[in-house]
Amino acid sequence: MGEAHIQPYEEVLGQAYELVNNHQQILHVDNIRWFLRNDMFSGTQAQNSAIATAIQQFLVERYSASQQDIQPAVPVELPGDIDIPTVDRLNPGNAPMRNVMPIPPNRPPSPGPVRAIFSGQTPLDGIILNLINAYPEGHPARPVLQLIVRPPPEHPNMRPDMRPIRPAFSSIPFNRILDGGRVSQTASLKCLERKGDLGVICGKPTSAVCEDTTHVHGGFPMCSECEFESQTRFRQEMESLAANLRAYTCAQCAMEYCQEPQRFKLSGYRIFGGFPVEQNDQIGVAVRVPWAPFTDIGGFQGFQPLPITGCACASKFLDRRICSPHRLRHIIDIRQAVDDMDEFVRQTFGTTKICPSCQVRPSVDAFGFRGREGNEAAPRIWFCKGCHDVVIAPYQDVPAVVAPQAAQPTPPPSQGLPLPPLPWLSPQETQPSPAQPQGDSPISWEQYINWPASPNEGQGT
C-alpha cells in the first residue's frame, strides 16, 4: 500500500485534528479514524470512498459552524396562539437569547435514533379497516375516516440515508460538557438572567453559564439562584407535557419487549428502564452509522426510567443550567413536535391511539390502562414523541405521572384484537372479555375505499 494511496486519508484525518485542536470542535476523532482506516485498508482509493467524502463534507460543515457570526440578541419566536402573560412569567421581559449562533458552534447536535417513531411501512388501509370493524364508534381505538389523508402525509422527523433524526433538546448535551455549567473556579462573570415584572438583569457574580451549546463559550452567565428560579417556573410546563409526550405501545408489544429484549437489537434506540446497562454486551442495541456525529447511537441506560418523562427530555430541560430564553424556546419547540407527530399519526391512521412499534394494534391508553388490552397491572412501554427513545416503566412507577389520563372515563368495551395471555397477570385477568355488541355494523372494503374524502385529502400535511 503506497504513500499515494495513504496520503489522502491522512489529510482527511488531519483536518479532523485541526478542527479539534485549533477550532474547539468536540468530535469523535477515533471513530473518524476507524471509518477511514476501514476504507483505506480495503484498497478503496480516497477519491472513490463514500466514507471519506462524507467525512470531508461533515468537517466542512463543522468548520463553517465554527465561523458563524455571533448574534448578540435573538428574540424567542412565539407562536400566534401563545398566552403572553405566561411568556412573561416564564421568561421575564421576554428576554432574547444572547450571544448565540444558529447551530451549535463547537459540537454536532445530539443525535436521536436512526429511525423515527411511526416511520415504518405498514399496509395502512387493511389495518384501519380491521380497527374499524373491531371497535365501536366513539371508542378511542377506532379510526375516524374523516381525519385520514391519502396519500399519507410527510413524516415530520424523517431523514434519509440512515442519518440520525434530530430529537428535541438536541443542543443540550445529555453527557454534560461543563460540570454544573461552571467555566471557572472564580465568580468573575455577571449573571444575565432577567428578574421580576420589569425584567431587570440580575447582575450577580457567577462562575457558571447556560449549557445550551448554541451559545458561544461563556455566552450567557447564569447564577445558581436564577437557575433555580427558572427551573422552578418551567417545571410545571414540563410536568404538564409529560403525558402527551408518550406514544404507548400495545399490550402485546409491551409483553414481547419485556420478555425478548433482543427485539431492540441494532435499533439505535436508547432504552430507559427495564434492563441493566450490562445487557448491551449481550444484545447490541447501539448502531454505529457512517454519518455525523460518527458515534454509537442507542443502548440500554439502566433499570430505572429518568424523572418526569422517563427519557432524557426532562433531565436535559430541567437538570442542566439553561437560561430562561432558551428554556422558553425549547418548550415551544417540543410542544410543536408533539403536535406535529399527533397530526401526522391522526392523518395516517385516523386516531392517535395506535402502537408506535407494530403500528397494527391500539395503544394501551386507548383502554384507559385497564383490562387485558390496557395492560393493567403490567409494565408499560412508550416511545417519546420528542426524542424518539424508549421508556420501560414498572407498573407501580407509572400512575402518579399519568393520573390525569387514568382518571378519564373507561372507554366502552369491545371485542378488540386477539392477544396472547400476559404472564404477569393472574389467570382471572387473562380471560378474554365476552364479546360486546358493536355500536354499528362492520363496514366492507368497498365502503372503506369509497368513504368521502376529508377536506385535507391530497394536501400531504
Side-chain angles (χ1 to χ4, degrees), residues 95 183 390 404:
V183 293
V390 181

Side-chain angles (χ1 to χ4, degrees), residues 51-67:
I51 295 296
T53 300
I55 290 175
Q56 282 185 308
Q57 291 173 346
F58 170 64
L59 296 177
V60 168
E61 291 173 2
R62 294 316 310 159
Y63 176 77
S64 299
S66 71
Q67 302 303 303

Side-chain angles (χ1 to χ4, degrees), residues 194-226:
R194 292 178 181 261
K195 301 171 75 72
D197 295 338
L198 298 178
V200 178
I201 292 178
C202 170
K204 288 184 179 179
T206 182
S207 61
V209 298
C210 173
E211 294 180 68
D212 190 291
T213 57
T214 57
H215 286 297
V216 295
H217 185 65
F220 196 102
M222 188 179 190
C223 70
S224 295
E225 178 182 315
C226 285

Side-chain angles (χ1 to χ4, degrees), residues 126-394:
I127 292 168
I128 292 168
L129 182 62
N130 288 341
L131 292 173
I132 289 173
N133 288 329
Y135 299 99
E137 188 171 358
H139 193 288
R142 180 186 170 98
V144 178
L145 293 180
Q146 290 87 344
L147 300 177
I148 296 173
V149 173
R150 291 293 180 270
E154 183 178 351
H155 195 284
N157 200 343
M158 277 295 290
R159 303 182 73 190
D161 304 325
M162 290 292 287
R163 290 177 182 266
I165 66 166
R166 185 64 53 80
F169 309 118
S170 61
S171 61
I172 303 175
F174 181 53
N175 297 316
R176 301 178 87 158
I177 300 171
L178 303 171
D179 183 15
R182 292 178 176 81
V183 293
S184 68
Q185 298 298 317
T186 58
S188 57
L189 305 171
K190 299 290 186 182
C191 177
L192 291 180
E193 274 284 306
R194 292 178 181 261
K195 301 171 75 72
D197 295 338
L198 298 178
V200 178
I201 292 178
C202 170
K204 288 184 179 179
T206 182
S207 61
V209 298
C210 173
E211 294 180 68
D212 190 291
T213 57
T214 57
H215 286 297
V216 295
H217 185 65
F220 196 102
M222 188 179 190
C223 70
S224 295
E225 178 182 315
C226 285
E227 158 59 16
F228 176 78
E229 292 174 356
S230 173
Q231 182 189 116
T232 301
R233 292 195 301 271
F234 280 93
R235 177 173 293 276
Q236 184 178 356
E237 297 296 313
M238 177 55 73
E239 289 176 342
S240 67
L241 179 64
N244 290 334
L245 279 173
R246 299 173 179 180
Y248 286 97
T249 67
C250 64
Q252 181 167 328
C253 283
M255 175 194 70
E256 291 175 353
Y257 277 126
C258 289
Q259 291 184 335
E260 303 174 28
Q262 59 269 26
R263 289 190 63 187
F264 288 114
K265 183 178 178 66
L266 297 179
S267 67
Y269 291 119
R270 286 187 300 180
I271 298 107
F272 295 88
F275 300 97
V277 173
E278 292 75 19
Q279 193 84 351
N280 289 312
D281 297 333
Q282 304 175 31
I283 303 297
V285 176
V287 174
R288 176 172 288 184
V289 290
W291 303 101
F294 306 102
T295 186
D296 292 344
I297 299 172
F300 293 105
Q301 304 297 307
F303 271 121
Q304 295 301 320
L306 295 179
I308 303 178
T309 58
C311 60
C313 284
S315 294
K316 282 187 169 189
F317 185 68
L318 295 173
D319 196 32
R320 304 291 181 270
R321 192 179 297 255
I322 305 295
C323 64
S324 293
H326 261 125
R327 278 201 170 108
L328 179 60
R329 174 72 269 160
H330 285 302
I331 203 70
I332 290 172
D333 286 347
I334 196 170
R335 285 188 181 278
Q336 188 62 54
V338 171
D339 290 344
D340 290 346
M341 183 59 68
D342 283 346
E343 184 66 9
F344 167 76
V345 176
R346 191 179 293 113
Q347 292 182 351
T348 302
F349 294 95
T351 175
T352 59
K353 306 301 185 183
I354 194 79
C355 174
S357 180
C358 66
Q359 299 180 50
V360 172
R361 292 176 290 270
S363 53
V364 293
D365 53 330
F367 308 95
F369 307 104
R370 298 178 183 174
R372 183 181 53 166
E373 289 176 294
N375 218 25
E376 186 172 358
R380 294 173 192 160
I381 296 180
W382 62 83
F383 289 65
C384 177
K385 300 173 191 175
C387 67
H388 296 245
D389 283 323
V390 181
V391 180
I392 302 176

